[in-house]
Amino acid sequence: MAAGRGGCRLGVAVVLLLLAVLRSAGSTSDAALPVVINTWAFRTAAETAWKVLESGGSELDAVERGCGQCEIDQCDGSVGYGGSPDESGETTLDAMIMDGNTMEVGAVADLRHVKNAIGVARKVIQYTKHTLLVGESASLFAVRMGFPYEDLTTQKSLSLYSEWLNQSCQPNYWKNVVPDSSTSCGPYKRREEVTYQEQTSSQRSVRNHDTIGMVVIGVSGTVASGTSTNGAIHKLPGRVGDSPIAGAGSYADSTAGGAAATGDGDIMMRFLPSYQAVEYMRMGTDPTVACQKVISRIQKYAPKFFGAIICANTTGSYGAACNKIPGFTQFHFMVSSPLLSRPTEQVVDCI
């Protein structure tokens, strides 16, 4: 019997040691519900979403208010009005929100003259049978829903646009055109002979965080997710990235979990990273490992892409991962849960 008890103690010790190793490796997290997780160190967004849950609001309410707070704060100039002017100097917005119970999605892209993009996306769910509205028509819908029609341009965005013009429109997103887009502004025309140009790295600046992505999981395991962004700075007018695309920008499924991505949307949207991460978690994969597998999959095709992803499952366990490139070796994100005294910034090393 003594030997048996000793073996039992040894087994428990081994299990505890394995858990400690997993935690130190970042492949697991303490689980508790509810949980709010969002991209980057956008603290006020996290605090706002958490307060909504504390006051009895729904998971969708928390996502809408949390991302909406970033729109108000103009988080890092990459969310909301007055940032990331396109080639014409105009700021446009993309956003989405997803209900993990019903699998309904509301989204807007290339939204003009309306500041509360995530709020308009929510109205798409509530008042239409559609999923995605775009451009000036999305703005007209927003006005019908009671949102003010106003200018998204600020002195800062005008200054960014002017500096870009003075730098011969560098950087930009054109290729295979004349005049040479790497040395001059347009207007451009297509070359008669198209040459293959390998994309060696992301056009997106590491400082251009580009998106607030949020996942909220309630006490009962109900999942909601959302995103909001003003997109890639100096983009071609009409460009839409990953943020408003379900499965790319974010994804929510109350039978598995939720995920949200950030980074170079033109690359990341091709891989539906948020959907893929949720499917990994459905199969029992730990959230951090699910995030890492998604990043590794994109690395095979675009090893120098700029991007990160957050993941959380229906137990409240969460994780994140990012692609390691020069200037971007760690990814900061926010977590709120009963295990934390307040919304807390966390950091993960990129892979």
Side-chain angles (χ1 to χ4, degrees):
M1 289 295 291
R5 285 194 296 272
C8 181
R9 285 194 295 270
L10 179 61
V12 171
V14 169
V15 169
L16 291 174
L17 178 62
L18 285 172
L19 285 173
V21 170
L22 285 171
R23 281 193 173 89
S24 66
S27 61
T28 190
S29 64
D30 291 329
L33 293 173
V35 64
V36 175
I37 180 171
N38 63 263
T39 56
W40 307 109
F42 297 151
R43 183 175 299 277
T44 57
E47 291 171 343
T48 299
W50 189 248
K51 287 176 183 177
V52 170
L53 291 182
E54 286 185 322
S55 64
S58 71
E59 294 79 11
L60 282 172
D61 293 337
V63 169
E64 180 183 357
R65 292 278 302 281
C67 291
Q69 187 63 51
C70 242
E71 294 172 346
I72 294 169
D73 295 343
Q74 300 169 283
C75 288
D76 280 345
S78 61
V79 181
Y81 70 100
S84 301
D86 64 18
E87 278 195 343
S88 300
E90 184 177 10
T91 295
T92 58
L93 308 179
D94 300 338
M96 70 154 288
I97 190 167
M98 184 167 185
D99 184 333
N101 282 349
T102 65
M103 307 306 288
E104 289 178 296
V105 174
V108 290
D110 194 27
L111 181 71
R112 301 151 187 256
H113 301 290
V114 179
K115 290 182 178 180
N116 185 200
I118 188 80
V120 181
R122 179 86 181 270
K123 294 296 186 287
V124 173
I125 290 180
Q126 293 173 322
Y127 296 103
T128 83
K129 298 178 182 178
H130 296 310
T131 293
L132 172 64
L133 300 179
V134 302
E136 194 62 36
S137 296
S139 302
L140 293 175
F141 167 77
V143 171
R144 289 179 183 175
M145 293 293 104
F147 293 87
Y149 192 83
E150 50 196 329
D151 194 356
L152 303 187
T153 301
T154 63
Q155 276 303 125
K156 181 178 179 180
S157 65
L158 287 174
S159 176
L160 288 170
Y161 180 57
S162 178
E163 289 174 10
W164 179 72
L165 290 176
N166 291 333
Q167 294 170 357
S168 301
C169 303
Q170 302 302 311
N172 61 62
Y173 291 87
W174 290 89
K175 65 180 183 180
N176 294 319
V177 293
V178 290
D180 186 350
S181 61
S182 67
T183 59
S184 65
C185 297
Y188 305 108
K189 295 182 179 180
R190 67 183 179 90
R191 283 183 187 163
E192 290 303 318
E193 292 185 8
V194 175
T195 58
Y196 174 73
Q197 296 180 0
E198 181 180 0
Q199 187 167 342
T200 56
S201 62
S202 289
Q203 287 273 55
R204 303 302 296 273
S205 164
V206 171
R207 293 185 181 87
N208 184 8
H209 292 167
D210 105 298
T211 307
I212 168 74
M214 180 175 285
V215 175
V216 175
I217 304 181
V219 174
S220 64
T222 292
V223 183
S225 69
T227 64
S228 184
T229 183
N230 52 33
I233 190 169
H234 312 313
K235 60 184 179 282
L236 276 66
R239 178 263 188 188
V240 176
D242 63 327
S243 297
I245 307 301
S250 79
Y251 197 72
D253 186 335
S254 296
T255 66
T262 182
D264 189 334
D266 288 299
I267 292 176
M268 297 182 75
M269 69 191 299
R270 304 167 192 170
F271 299 88
L272 295 177
S274 296
Y275 170 80
Q276 188 67 59
V278 172
E279 290 307 301
Y280 282 137
M281 289 188 289
R282 185 190 308 281
M283 294 185 290
T285 304
D286 176 87
T288 296
V289 176
C291 286
Q292 291 172 341
K293 291 179 72 171
V294 165
I295 294 297
S296 295
R297 179 168 175 254
I298 302 175
Q299 284 174 334
K300 294 177 183 178
Y301 298 89
K304 297 180 181 180
F305 85 98
F306 166 53
I309 187 167
I310 55 173
C311 304
N313 65 23
T314 52
T315 71
S317 182
Y318 59 85
C322 51
N323 185 41
K324 185 177 182 180
I325 57 174
F328 186 53
T329 59
Q330 291 185 321
F331 173 55
H332 296 244
F333 61 102
M334 296 297 301
V335 179
S336 309
S337 89
L339 300 177
L340 303 169
S341 60
R342 61 184 183 277
T344 303
E345 181 179 343
Q346 302 197 13
V347 184
V348 64
D349 291 330
C350 296
I351 59 173

